[in-house]
């Protein structure tokens, strides 16, 4: 009912102007797939019937999870870097592309990452990259140990330990270095000064460091798997594998379980909390030569004396996904962060790639091959760099493997560019967040489950103590009736009636569930429904 | 209660005796009946011959005596106490149950902040907000220029301090009190109305006469007192009288001209009462039409002034305001502001205030409009002399004005303005260029109309865009969803393939030989590793060849054996309680009989199936990791009845390692937050909006009768 003449001038001006409007109102959309990645609650699992109070709690938890997953999905935007790739022209096999071609094609900074260290004197070398991927340590069998910042090629230390070096590994930071020497295990710092000589770990053949638990796992010739807590310097567990000499070892980065390969073709999975292996898998007819587990912990690659290379699914069933016979069999295996598999066979390195990140590598066609100047003795992909380090009898080779590494690093977790101060701060935080060794188990999510066994036990004890089950439903007790209708027979009848009713309910429910299942099974088989179907009886 | 028993009985006895006597007195008709020769039944003799009224009363009394039973014995002490307890419990549970919803709410709340009392969000008037704001863009500057030119209030407070105070002071509690008072007043009013209606219905003339007289006397007395105490009020009273006189003069109410009076006039010849009534009426007429001397002069003057004032005032105002650019803006703007105020108010203000405000607004609007019209008229006249382009708003004729004189003026004005409008339209057609110089109003109409659809369309477009996106998304979903079941099906099939033929056997064993002796295709690598012709290497290879040739079967057999052992070892053991020699011969070389052993063997319950039951190449350790179990939850918290339910609520990690910073903060917000240095007082009824009186308790209970019944009835039963 506004009169036109009475509109104030200011309003007239304002209304005649185009209003500033958000062309994209509301929060930015989040793709469901990305959010799904951060979902933790498996809604496909059906829960038992819950009371309203419980249901409200569950609803709150689910809503929270959804909100959080959306937030996490939104933060994906911050991962700006994209992984590298190598794409051949039509019909071109990428395996034919030589390192020299790649080096020519890439920029100078990347090209500088391909190099060869010619060290024939102290031959075959084992090597290890630090967790940030910035530093490289290598040890030759004839006692040559060196650590360097491989990006700038700045040498940190170089010593000769005057003893056979079996394996070398960085501890939690690049400042500490564990070297498995002929007799004992030694710890050096980045200056090459020997800090410790651990005599309880003798004749060590392989080393593995579990970064979140601060555990150094060593396998020895004597058949012992020893866990050394490097934060307190204590041996947490020394497990006898009872399988002779142990010289094949790797860790599962997902759950920190140690995989040992044995001469009887089995791979055993170990945790310091258990005296026996968590699982034993028969993989090869001959002895196992190499084992590698990918970063997501879903697949394991093994190679055996039967010249086969197999990829196993580690999610519960431990069944082989694919297998391949190699001409000479692979002596060394390594997975990259993005799931590329490298195998060292004699003086050749083959690399296989999968379709996506989580998919296992397809062994049909190699992604890259490279011939080295000597026999391969150690293989590792560099974290956060598209580089594969190969230690061989002729020295060290740093190969370019496009698309091998995770392009985005977590600056708080493993920052390749961190300063000394930052490293120290990280060290303190990491020590505070150290995971106890006994929590290592096959399914790390099991910790978020209720200990059903002790729950049941406590329930049983309580029932024993009380003499009855306080949570059980009271059995039906017919009410006494007057005028002679409360005879025993009628009581029994009434009881029976109620029991039957309950039974019928159960049967009804199960019947209701069955057709659903049948429908599910039948649907994909059936063709399009026709009009004549109605006459089918 | 027990004492009156005896006397009542006594009295009853006496009454009965009297009734018998009266019966015999009245039995004469019976004798007459006998004489008439009718047959008599014995029952006739028994019945009283005639139901006399006196007998009925006797009967009633008798019944009353009968119905009055002896008072029961007092309850024993325990029972009395129990009843007391029950009543007390009911009462307290009722008073306590008002807290139930609050407790429920607090329990479910994600976060509680103590102390509970919150600062009420201050009501910031627009001018306060505007204080810290400056016009920056040219548009804003233009608007401000306009406003300042027209002397519009830009920063002046729109609310008086009193209003502000009232806005601030009104708390919820107060508002509620006020409402209650109003309700009470309304109820009272309705009572009075009802009473008045009732009294009006009374037909007794005498009653009304008396009432009238009483009223008149009272009024006189009051007037007398008023004259002494408050002369001004007395004057007003007199004015009222004067008004009544005027009304009387205008109407012909008491001049014996009505229907009733005419009928009375016919009757008056014979009926003295009717004559009296007519005379009364005439007297009343006289009385009413008599002039009150005191008030007359001033009244006349006032009337003159009013007539003189009416038009010129508005015209003068128009003259005064004509100096500005947009004189009509003044009045309307202020009214707008008022409207805005009112719109803001209703939540804060109680009803009466709002009502008053709206009433005042209604009153003001017509006046303002008249003024506006007059101003427009003046303006137009002046403008017509120059170019006469200014158009006006359409003459709004919706208001009924109170004074007939002003109405006449208005009608004239309307006619004039309509003429003017026509003229203007014609002129406007002729020269459009000059139209642009002045911001003409009629243009506004179509412009606004044009804009409206645009405004309407914009959100629609956005919606459609969104919809499109959604559609596309859905399409994506569908696209994705279609392959998914297929892949699942494939997976299922691949999983089931071995087990498909024998579904009855649940799950088929995977063939171990198959796993290990699959003929995997060999890689034809481009770079075949060069074989160093070393002697020891050759030897090693030969050894390997031999090993491969012979070891294969061994490996599998060994593994199966190992697995069997492991399975056996993990099986729960039976307990054998047989005692050799008990009840039969014992000694070296003698074994207890199989029958006896069977009798005393306690079979261990079969555990759950092993995880590696159908996986021949795997041995999975079934032992519990006790060290890890020590870190697991072993007691279900309260509302959960099944461990799966609880597990679902602890699935999401809350650490900052797995979450974004915001999510982490949200997940770890404390349940209770207290302000340091603040006293946390126990919750009061006022804090949560209840009044502390007993009445409110009742009201609360009525609000949730269900909860009461559920919770407390059980307890009552237990008692």
């Amino acid at each position: 009912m506004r009169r036109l003449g009475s509109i104030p001038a200011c309003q007239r001006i304002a209304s005649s102007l185009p209003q500033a409007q958000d062309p994209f109102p509301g929060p930015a959309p989040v793709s469901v797939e990305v959010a799904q990645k951060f979902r933790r609650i498996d809604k496909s699992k059906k829960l038992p019937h819950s009371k309203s109070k419980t249901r409200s709690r569950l609803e709150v938890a689910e809503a929270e999870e959804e909100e959080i997953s959306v937030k996490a999905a939104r933060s994906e935007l911050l991962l700006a870097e994209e992984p590298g790739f190598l794409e051949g022209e039509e019909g071109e096999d990428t395996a034919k592309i030589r390192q020299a071609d790649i080096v020519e094609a890439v920029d100078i900074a990347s090209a500088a990452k391909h190099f060869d260290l010619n060290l024939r004197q102290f031959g075959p070398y084992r090597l290890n990259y630090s967790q940030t991927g910035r530093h490289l340590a290598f040890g030759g069998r004839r006692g040559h140990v060196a650590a360097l910042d491989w990006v700038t090629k700045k040498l940190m230390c170089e010593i000769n330990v005057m003893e056979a070096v079996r394996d070398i590994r960085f501890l939690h930071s690049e400042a500490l270095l564990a070297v498995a020497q002929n007799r004992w295990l030694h710890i050096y710092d980045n200056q090459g000064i020997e800090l410790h000589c651990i005599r309880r770990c003798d004749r060590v053949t392989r080393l593995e460091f579990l970064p979140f638990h601060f555990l150094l796992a060593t396998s020895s010739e004597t058949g012992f798997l020893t866990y050394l807590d490097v934060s307190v310097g204590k041996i947490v567990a020394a497990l006898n594998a009872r399988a002779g000499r142990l010289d094949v070892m790797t860790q599962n980065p997902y759950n920190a379980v140690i995989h040992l390969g044995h001469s009887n073709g089995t791979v055993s999975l170990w945790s310091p909390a258990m005296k026996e292996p968590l699982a034993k898998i028969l993989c090869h007819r001959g002895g196992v030569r190499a084992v590698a587990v990918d970063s997501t912990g879903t697949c394991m690659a093994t190679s055996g004396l039967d010249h086969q290379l197999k990829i196993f699914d580690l999610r519960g069933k431990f069944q082989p996904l694919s297998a391949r016979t190699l001409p000479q069999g692979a002596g060394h295996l390594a997975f990259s962060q993005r799931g590329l598999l490298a195998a060292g066979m004699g003086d050749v390195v083959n690399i296989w790639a999968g379709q996506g990140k989580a998919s296992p590598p397809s062994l049909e066609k190699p992604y890259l091959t490279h011939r080295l100047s000597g026999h391969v003795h150690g293989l590792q992909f560099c974290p956060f760099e598209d580089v594969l380090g190969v230690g061989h009898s002729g020295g060290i080779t740093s190969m370019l493997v496009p698309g091998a590494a995770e392009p985005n690093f977590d600056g708080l977790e493993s920052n390749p560019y961190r300063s000394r101060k930052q490293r120290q701060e990280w060290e303190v935080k990491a020590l505070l967040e150290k995971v106890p060794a006994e929590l290592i188990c096959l399914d790390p999510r099991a910790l978020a489950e209720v200990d059903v066994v002790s729950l049941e036990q406590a329930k049983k004890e309580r029932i024993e103590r009380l003499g009855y089950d306080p949570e059980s439903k009271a059995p039906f007790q017919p009410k006494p009736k007057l005028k002679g209708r409360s005879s025993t027979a009628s009581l029994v009848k009434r009881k029976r009636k109620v029991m039957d009713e309950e039974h019928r309910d159960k049967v009804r429910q199960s019947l209701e569930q069955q057709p659903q299942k049948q429908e599910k099974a039948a649907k994909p088989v059936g063709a399009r429904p026709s009009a004549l179907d109605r006459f089918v009886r | 209660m027990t004492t009156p028993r005896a006397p009542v009985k006594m009295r009853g006895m006496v009454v009965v005796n009297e009734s018998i006597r009266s019966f015999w007195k009245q039995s004469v008709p019976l004798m007459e009946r006998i004489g008439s020769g009718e047959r008599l039944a014995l029952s006739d003799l028994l019945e009283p011959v005639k139901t006399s009224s006196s007998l009925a009363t006797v009967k009633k009394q008798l019944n009353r005596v009968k119905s009055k039973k002896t008072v029961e014995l007092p309850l024993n002490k325990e029972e009395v106490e129990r009843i007391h307890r029950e009543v007390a419990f009911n009462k307290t549970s009722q008073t306590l149950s008002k807290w139930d919803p609050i407790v429920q709410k607090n329990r479910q709340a994600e976060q509680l902040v103590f102390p509970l009392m919150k600062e009420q969000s201050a009501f910031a008037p627009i001018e306060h907000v505007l204080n810290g704001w400056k016009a920056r863009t040219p548009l804003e500057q233009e608007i401000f220029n306009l406003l300042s030119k027209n002397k519009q209030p830009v920063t002046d407070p729109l609310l008086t301090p009193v209003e502000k105070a009232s806005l601030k002071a009104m708390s919820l509690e107060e508002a509620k009190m006020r409402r209650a008072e109003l309700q009470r007043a309304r109820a009272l009013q309705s009572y009075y109305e009802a009473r008045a209606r009732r009294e009006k219905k009374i037909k007794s003339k005498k009653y009304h006469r008396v009432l009238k007289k009483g009223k008149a006397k009272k009024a006189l007395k009051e007037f007398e007192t008023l004259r002494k105490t408050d002369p001004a009020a007395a004057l007003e009273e007199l004015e009222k009288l004067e008004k009544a006189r005027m009304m009387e003069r205008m109407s012909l109410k008491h001049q014996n001209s009505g229907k009733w009076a005419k009928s009375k006039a016919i009757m008056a010849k014979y009926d003295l009462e009717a004559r009296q009534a007519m005379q009364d009426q005439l007297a009343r007429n006289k009385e009413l039409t008599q002039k009150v001397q005191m008030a007359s002069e001033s009244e006349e003057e006032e009337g003159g002034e009013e007539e003189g004032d009416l038009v010129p005032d508005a015209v003068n105002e128009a003259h005064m305001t004509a100096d500005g650019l947009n004189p009509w803006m003044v009045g309307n703007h202020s009214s707008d502001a008022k409207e805005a105020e009112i719109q803001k108010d209703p939540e804060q203000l109680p009803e009466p205030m709002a009502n008053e405000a709206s009433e005042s607004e209604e009153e003001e609007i017509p006046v303002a409009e008249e003024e506006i019209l007059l101003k427009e008229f003046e303006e137009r006249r002046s403008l017509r002399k120059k170019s006469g382009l200014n158009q006006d708003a359409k003459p709004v004729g919706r208001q009924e004005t109170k004074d007939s004189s002003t109405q006449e003026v208005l009608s004239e004005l309307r006619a004039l303005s309509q003429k003017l409008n026509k003229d203007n339209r014609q002129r406007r057609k002729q020269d459009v260029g000059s139209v642009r110089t002045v911001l003409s109003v009629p243009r506004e109409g179509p412009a606004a109309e044009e804009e409206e659809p645009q405004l309407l369309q914009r959100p629609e477009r956005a919606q459609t865009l969104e919809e499109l996106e959604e559609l596309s998304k859905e399409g994506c979903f569908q696209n994705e969803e279609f392959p998914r079941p297929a892949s699942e099906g494939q997976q299922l099939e691949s999983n089931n393939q071995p087990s498909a033929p024998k579904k009855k056997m649940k799950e088929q064993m995977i063939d171990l030989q198959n796993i290990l002796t699959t003929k995997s295709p060999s890689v034809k690598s481009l770079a075949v590793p060069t074989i160093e012709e070393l002697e020891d290497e050759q030897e090693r290879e030969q050894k390997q060849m031999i090993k491969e040739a012979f070891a294969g079967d061994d490996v599998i057999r060994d593994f199966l054996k190992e697995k069997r052992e492991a399975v056996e070892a993990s099986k729960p053991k039976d307990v054998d309680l047989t005692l050799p020699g008990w009840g039969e011969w014992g000694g070296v070389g003698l074994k207890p009989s199989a029958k006896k052993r069977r009798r005393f063997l306690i079979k261990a319950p079969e555990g759950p199936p092993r995880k590696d039951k159908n996986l021949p190449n795997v041995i999975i350790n079934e032992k519990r990791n006790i060290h890890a179990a020590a870190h697991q939850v072993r007691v279900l918290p309260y509302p959960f009845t099944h461990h799966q339910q609880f597990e679902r609520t602890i699935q999401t990690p809350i650490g900052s390692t797995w979450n974004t910073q915001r999510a982490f903060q949200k997940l770890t917000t404390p349940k209770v937050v207290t302000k340091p240095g603040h006293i946390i007082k126990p919750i009061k009824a006022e804090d949560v909006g209840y009044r502390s009186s007993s009445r409110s308790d009742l009201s609360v209970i009525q609000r949730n009768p269900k909860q009461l019944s559920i919770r407390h009835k059980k307890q009552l039963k237990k008692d």
Side-chain angles (χ1 to χ4, degrees), chain B residues 602-648:
Chain B
I602 298 170
K603 279 203 168 178
E606 242 180 74
R610 281 180 70 92
K611 277 183 215 158
D612 55 5
K613 196 180 155 200
N614 299 311
L615 310 170
N617 66 328
V618 187
I619 307 170
I620 297 174
N621 198 342
E622 300 268 274
K623 272 185 191 163
R624 256 177 94 216
N625 183 353
I626 306 161
H627 302 290
H631 292 267
Q632 284 181 324
V633 180
R634 52 179 62 190
V635 183
L636 276 184
Y638 157 58
F640 302 103
T641 49
H642 199 271
H643 64 92
Q644 282 176 353
Q645 295 164 349
F646 179 58
E647 275 164 13
R648 189 163 278 200

Side-chain angles (χ1 to χ4, degrees), chain A residues 343-516:
Chain A
M345 307 167 293
D347 59 350
V348 170
V349 173
N350 264 17
I351 297 158
W352 290 277
Q355 258 30 272
K357 202 205 161 191
S359 65
S362 60
L363 298 176
E364 272 158 30
K365 238 190 202 174
Y367 175 62
L368 275 179
T369 51
H370 186 60
R371 189 182 291 275
L372 302 155
S373 56
H375 270 250
V376 177
H377 197 61
L379 267 182
Q380 200 194 349
F381 279 99
C382 178
F384 308 114
E385 292 283 0
D386 286 347
V387 162
L388 171 68
V390 187
H392 49 89
S393 51
I396 302 286
T397 300
S398 173
M399 275 174 70
L400 293 186
V401 183
E406 194 60 50
N408 299 291
F409 58 85
D410 183 351
L412 297 174
E413 196 60 40
S414 46
N415 185 357
Y417 307 109
R418 69 187 173 192
S419 63
R420 208 169 118 251
K421 268 273 167 236
Q422 279 174 323
R423 193 192 73 208
Q424 284 165 357
E425 197 149 309
W426 167 84
E427 209 168 342
V428 172
K429 276 182 186 161
L431 277 168
L432 286 173
E433 287 174 358
K434 188 182 108 172
V435 185
E438 65 259 29
L439 292 187
I440 297 174
C441 49
L442 269 183
D443 182 14
R445 306 221 61 193
L447 276 180
E449 281 167 11
V450 176
D451 185 6
V452 182
V453 177
S454 49
L455 186 75
E456 296 284 316
Q457 184 64 28
K459 209 177 177 183
K460 214 185 268 172
E461 277 168 14
R462 193 183 172 208
I463 289 167
E464 265 176 29
R465 205 171 56 242
L466 292 173
Y468 71 101
D469 186 5
E471 281 158 24
S472 72
K473 194 182 148 197
F476 174 71
Q477 200 61 44
K479 274 182 194 165
K481 289 199 172 174
L482 295 175
K483 296 181 185 171
R485 284 186 296 158
S486 194
S487 68
T488 320
S490 79
L491 284 182
V492 169
K493 254 186 214 164
R494 274 187 277 154
K495 250 187 192 172
R496 172 67 43 81
K497 233 182 191 174
V498 173
M499 259 167 57
D500 285 351
E501 191 54 43
E502 279 170 2
H503 182 67
R504 248 174 252 138
D505 277 345
K506 265 184 202 168
V507 171
R508 216 169 282 143
Q509 275 181 3
S510 66
L511 278 176
E512 274 169 15
Q513 282 171 359
Q514 268 180 0
Q516 286 173 0

Side-chain angles (χ1 to χ4, degrees), chain A residues 87-225:
Chain A
E87 230 169 50
E89 283 164 29
E90 214 154 287
E92 193 190 4
D93 192 0
T94 50
K96 277 183 183 168
I97 299 170
R98 293 176 301 141
Q99 280 292 306
D101 303 335
I102 296 172
V103 168
E104 258 178 41
V106 296
D107 56 322
I108 302 169
S110 300
K113 285 168 190 166
H114 169 67
F115 59 90
D116 273 305
L117 297 181
N118 207 349
L119 306 161
R120 295 213 160 266
Q121 204 178 343
F122 297 106
Y125 278 89
R126 297 279 302 170
L127 83 169
N128 182 233
Y129 286 101
S130 68
Q131 274 181 66
T132 56
R134 183 74 189 218
H135 298 87
L136 172 68
F138 50 87
R141 192 184 279 162
R142 293 185 189 124
H144 178 214
V145 170
L148 73 156
D149 181 347
W150 71 270
V151 180
T152 57
K153 318 284 189 307
K154 196 182 133 199
L155 193 66
M156 278 153 57
C157 67
E158 189 173 20
I159 47 170
N160 199 318
V161 295
M162 307 301 285
E163 215 177 355
V165 170
R166 298 254 184 64
D167 202 358
I168 189 165
R169 198 131 302 236
F170 275 115
L171 296 191
H172 56 275
S173 72
E174 59 271 13
L176 292 169
L177 200 59
V179 180
Q181 293 178 15
N182 196 23
R183 288 198 68 183
W184 297 310
L185 174 71
H186 293 255
I187 309 270
Y188 297 91
D189 76 348
N190 56 2
Q191 313 271 302
I193 299 163
E194 184 184 318
L195 300 177
H196 304 287
C197 170
I198 296 148
R199 291 183 189 179
R200 282 193 63 189
C201 304
D202 60 333
R203 301 197 166 273
V204 175
T205 53
R206 286 284 178 270
L207 293 171
E208 274 296 336
F209 184 71
L210 311 175
F212 297 106
H213 305 77
F214 283 84
L215 289 178
L216 182 68
T218 60
S219 62
S220 68
E221 277 180 358
T222 52
F224 273 89
L225 171 66

